[in-house]
């Protein structure tokens, strides 16, 4: 079934009226994740919904895609934050522009749909921002890899330390690499952000759903499988 047909035939309509949706992702161009998110955005709009895509980096001239404005906070604070992220290993530590999305996104949106927080040209997201968004809006988070399950890496195949809090990481060079082993702290920060947020989780595969359900970070959170769409 085509993307648009699926949306039109699904329960995505609220009282038979189009939804207002804010999608958040690292970029509008890149790899498979970016293509899938852009396809979702386009398909929602084709189905008559009001979709706005907010990205850390904008490359394309696409309707209703907005690059998140990077307003500078207290002088020197960002320099310290980037050093802690890039030279020490605290991931997604502080991005004021991401937290300020609660003021950028229109207050009457029906749903905020959060995708990837890591990667891209610049550090665009932070974990505390998840809690702030979830307090303001109904929220769904889609996982496309294992980054939110671990203390640093997006693909923990062969290592199960993410099931018990990470720490003593056997491979700090796995993408995204970090210099020092702060994996236990990163893991705890992710657990704190997720457990204090009211959100529904979707995974792009049944295998990933099973991994999420084994993660203490996502304990008690509802998880559904929504496969990447294929436009016939």
């Amino acid at each position: 079934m085509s993307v648009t047909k699926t949306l039109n035939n699904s329960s995505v309509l609220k009282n038979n009226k189009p939804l207002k949706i804010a999608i958040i992702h690292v970029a509008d161009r890149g790899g498979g994740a970016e293509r899938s998110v852009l396809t979702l955005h386009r398909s929602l709009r084709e189905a008559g919904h009001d979709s706005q895509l907010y990205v850390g980096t904008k490359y394309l001239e696409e309707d209703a895609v907005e690059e998140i404005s990077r307003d500078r906070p207290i002088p020197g604070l960002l320099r310290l934050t980037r050093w802690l992220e890039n030279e020490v290993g605290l991931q997604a530590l502080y991005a004021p522009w991401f937290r300020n999305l609660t003021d950028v996104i229109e207050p009457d949106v029906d749903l905020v749909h959060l995708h990837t927080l890591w990667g891209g040209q610049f550090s665009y997201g932070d974990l505390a921002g998840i809690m702030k968004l979830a307090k303001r809006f109904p929220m769904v988070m889609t996982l496309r890899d294992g980054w939110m399950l671990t203390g640093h890496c997006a693909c923990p195949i062969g290592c199960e330390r993410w099931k018990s809090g990470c720490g003593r990481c056997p491979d700090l060079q796995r993408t995204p690499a970090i210099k020092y082993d702060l994996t236990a702290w990163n893991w705890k920060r992710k657990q704190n952000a997720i457990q204090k947020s009211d959100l529904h989780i979707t995974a792009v595969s049944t295998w990933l759903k099973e991994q999420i359900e084994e993660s203490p970070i996502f304990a008690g959170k509802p998880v559904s499988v929504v496969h990447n769409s294929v436009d016939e």
Side-chain angles (χ1 to χ4, degrees):
M1 184 175 288
S2 71
V3 176
T4 303
K5 198 183 299 181
T6 301
L7 290 167
N8 284 332
N9 291 341
S10 74
S11 59
V12 74
L13 291 175
K14 185 180 72 173
N15 299 324
N16 293 320
K17 295 181 180 178
L19 291 178
K20 199 167 190 175
I21 302 163
I23 304 174
I24 305 170
H25 188 53
V26 62
D28 58 353
R29 187 186 71 190
E34 286 69 46
R35 286 193 296 273
S36 294
V37 171
L38 192 59
T39 297
L40 172 64
H41 170 65
R42 289 170 174 169
S43 300
L44 285 167
R45 292 179 64 81
E46 289 171 5
H49 302 290
D50 181 1
S51 175
Q52 179 76 33
L53 174 57
Y54 298 91
V55 294
T57 305
K58 179 178 177 178
Y59 296 99
L60 305 175
E61 292 300 322
E62 183 80 26
D63 289 342
V65 177
E66 179 180 337
E67 183 169 285
I68 300 168
S69 177
R70 287 181 177 78
D71 299 322
R72 289 188 173 277
I74 301 170
L77 184 56
L78 272 187
R79 191 177 300 112
L80 174 61
T81 300
R82 296 294 87 85
W83 180 79
L84 290 169
E85 289 179 339
N86 299 329
E87 300 300 325
V88 178
L90 287 173
Q91 295 179 320
L93 180 60
Y94 177 63
W97 41 81
F98 186 84
R99 299 186 188 191
N100 290 342
L101 278 172
T102 51
D103 300 321
V104 174
I105 295 171
E106 295 184 18
D108 60 340
V109 300
D110 297 297
L111 180 72
V112 168
H113 190 177
L114 178 62
H115 292 262
T116 304
L117 276 175
W118 70 274
Q121 253 189 333
F122 308 101
S123 297
Y124 95 102
D126 74 20
L127 296 171
I130 297 173
M131 295 183 283
K132 191 174 179 183
L133 283 165
K135 285 180 181 178
R136 182 75 64 89
F137 306 106
M139 193 166 173
V140 169
M141 173 186 281
T142 290
L143 269 63
R144 300 175 176 278
D145 55 44
W147 185 79
M148 277 300 302
L149 311 179
T150 75
H152 94 87
C153 71
C155 185
I157 298 297
C159 176
E160 296 195 342
R161 297 195 63 78
W162 56 273
K163 294 181 180 180
S164 58
C166 285
R168 300 193 302 279
C169 179
D171 190 357
L172 296 177
Q173 293 307 305
R174 287 197 182 189
T175 303
I178 57 176
K179 292 189 176 181
Y180 297 99
D181 191 353
L182 295 179
T183 55
W185 196 0
N186 286 332
W187 190 97
K188 271 307 243 185
R189 291 171 55 236
K190 290 176 181 178
Q191 184 184 47
N192 181 64
I194 296 301
Q195 289 301 312
K196 290 184 177 178
S197 299
D198 182 12
L199 38 76
H200 190 105
I201 311 302
T202 68
V204 296
S205 70
T206 302
W207 176 83
L208 184 54
K209 176 180 182 287
E210 293 169 353
Q211 300 291 293
I212 296 168
E213 289 173 337
E214 292 187 57
S215 168
I217 290 174
F218 289 93
K221 297 299 178 183
V223 187
S224 304
V225 176
V226 180
H227 298 290
N228 287 331
S229 55
V230 176
D231 190 337
E232 292 179 337

